[in-house]
Amino acid sequence: MTNVLSVGDSITILTEIKNAYDFYHRQLGYVILESGECLNELLLQNGYAKASRDYYCSKLAEYQLMNRTAQLNKVGLYARISHF
């Protein structure tokens, strides 16, 4: 995965009203890059993040599929380990 964000780049953070915080009261959101790409999705697709049912969002099923695809294709962290 190449550098997708540099110091000084603008981002937009979108939150879901019903899913704005997790169990520990950390704010959850989608990080949208200047290019319009979603950083959350890039990290999942490239095997550097994991979609967990512990943090519900409306895209959870889609994100779990992205995570499983990265795992099966052994990309990112999955190139070195089978689970994280």
Side-chain angles (χ1 to χ4, degrees):
M1 190 165 139
T2 61
N3 185 16
V4 296
L5 190 63
S6 299
V7 174
D9 286 354
S10 295
I11 60 166
T12 301
I13 299 177
L14 302 175
T15 58
E16 296 179 0
I17 293 173
K18 292 184 178 182
N19 303 306
Y21 295 92
D22 69 4
F23 177 79
Y24 300 102
H25 302 285
R26 296 175 292 197
Q27 190 167 7
L28 304 175
Y30 303 99
V31 179
I32 309 302
L33 306 174
E34 288 180 339
S35 66
E37 294 176 292
C38 179
L39 181 60
N40 311 52
E41 293 175 8
L42 291 173
L43 291 170
L44 286 162
Q45 292 165 349
N46 289 283
Y48 294 107
K50 181 178 178 181
S52 171
R53 65 175 185 237
D54 294 337
Y55 306 103
Y56 182 79
C57 70
S58 63
K59 293 186 171 196
L60 181 59
E62 181 182 344
Y63 283 4
Q64 287 174 324
L65 180 59
M66 287 179 192
N67 181 71
R68 183 67 178 142
T69 301
Q71 186 180 31
L72 291 172
N73 292 328
K74 298 183 189 293
V75 297
L77 295 175
Y78 292 116
R80 299 183 185 272
I81 58 175
S82 59
H83 295 87
F84 67 88

